[in-house]
Amino acid sequence: MQQRGVTLWFTGLSGAGKTTITRAVEAKLRAMGYGVEILDGDIVRENLTKGLGFSKEDRDENIRRIGFVSQLLTRHGVIVLVSAISPYRAVREEVRQKIGNFVEVFVNAPLAVCEERDVKGLYKRARAGEIANFTGISDPYEPPVNPEVECRTDLETLDESVAKVLAALEELGYLPSNAKATVA
Ligand code: ADP
């Protein structure tokens, strides 16, 4: 199967929906026969970037390492789904330039919605002052200026968000039709 590698970079606040959307996109792509890998920020911080904290310097280093692995996979034809808050615009642009085949997905829900969801209970702890440098509360988040895809997860269903991502991949030429024919 001829598959073009690409990195799909999901950025957004904690609780915006990055993990949920990447998992659903992964399932769809695998069912279509594509080779996919997920680099999830929470998991990567337990191995590849273990020991890094949440200062700007450490956050940027976290993103550079994820970007490095993503670049290797991408050039070998993998569809890489990166799910990481990645709050700083400049380092996102840096990895975009390095990787080349790069699709930025802004997973966007207002802070109030993310906080209300509080999937991992972290906002509550951040508000209580138990977690420092928490993105959106006590640390900045710089939204993408011109993302290829924006998923407004407070306004659309998960299925709609997933469909948007897949449509963008198709439009940008990353889903060759012969691959789909192979598994149809
Ligand atoms: P993140 O990985 O960005 O921290 P999660 O995916 O862990 O966020 O959590 C997002 C939460 O929002 C989940 O509980 C999910 O069910 C919910 N949600 C509601 N609508 C959507 C949507 N359209 N897309 C993704 N998640 C959604």
Side-chain angles (χ1 to χ4, degrees):
M1 187 207 293
Q2 279 300 92
Q3 180 180 307
R4 259 179 96 198
V6 61
T7 290
L8 275 162
W9 195 285
F10 294 78
T11 172
L13 295 173
S14 178
K18 302 179 295 300
T19 301
T20 306
I21 298 172
T22 50
R23 291 205 175 133
V25 169
E26 177 196 30
K28 288 267 186 197
L29 289 172
R30 281 199 202 283
M32 289 189 273
Y34 294 100
V36 187
E37 284 293 343
I38 289 189
L39 293 172
D40 182 283
D42 289 339
I43 296 166
V44 163
R45 276 183 175 277
E46 289 168 13
N47 43 72
L48 180 69
T49 65
K50 193 174 178 144
L52 292 178
F54 293 88
S55 64
K56 179 173 190 302
E57 195 180 37
D58 277 11
R59 285 178 185 273
D60 283 351
E61 179 63 21
N62 182 44
I63 295 312
R64 286 196 183 98
R65 288 192 205 170
I66 295 172
F68 176 75
V69 174
S70 195
Q71 182 183 5
L72 299 183
L73 292 168
T74 298
R75 80 175 183 220
H76 284 280
V78 177
I79 299 177
V80 187
L81 308 176
V82 174
S83 166
I85 297 172
S86 38
Y88 294 109
R89 198 175 288 136
V91 78
R92 290 197 308 264
E93 283 309 307
E94 188 183 307
V95 294
R96 174 195 284 276
Q97 296 308 322
K98 279 197 177 135
I99 295 170
N101 291 358
F102 188 94
V103 174
E104 190 171 35
V105 183
F106 180 22
V107 184
N108 187 10
L111 175 65
V113 171
C114 296
E115 199 167 349
E116 172 69 27
R117 289 176 181 161
D118 210 3
V119 188
K120 300 167 212 157
L122 296 175
Y123 283 98
K124 203 172 171 197
R125 292 182 54 207
R127 288 287 184 200
E130 291 168 21
I131 306 174
N133 299 111
F134 195 80
T135 302
I137 305 291
S138 49
D139 225 41
Y141 178 77
E142 299 173 354
V145 176
N146 211 0
E148 279 80 359
V149 186
E150 180 174 358
C151 297
R152 278 295 305 264
T153 66
D154 57 322
L155 301 176
E156 59 199 48
T157 65
L158 174 60
D159 283 351
E160 286 169 336
S161 298
V162 170
K164 268 187 181 176
V165 174
L166 293 174
L169 275 184
E170 183 133 40
E171 270 164 38
L172 293 165
Y174 291 112
L175 301 183
S177 50
N178 62 324
K180 271 186 282 182
T182 308
V183 292

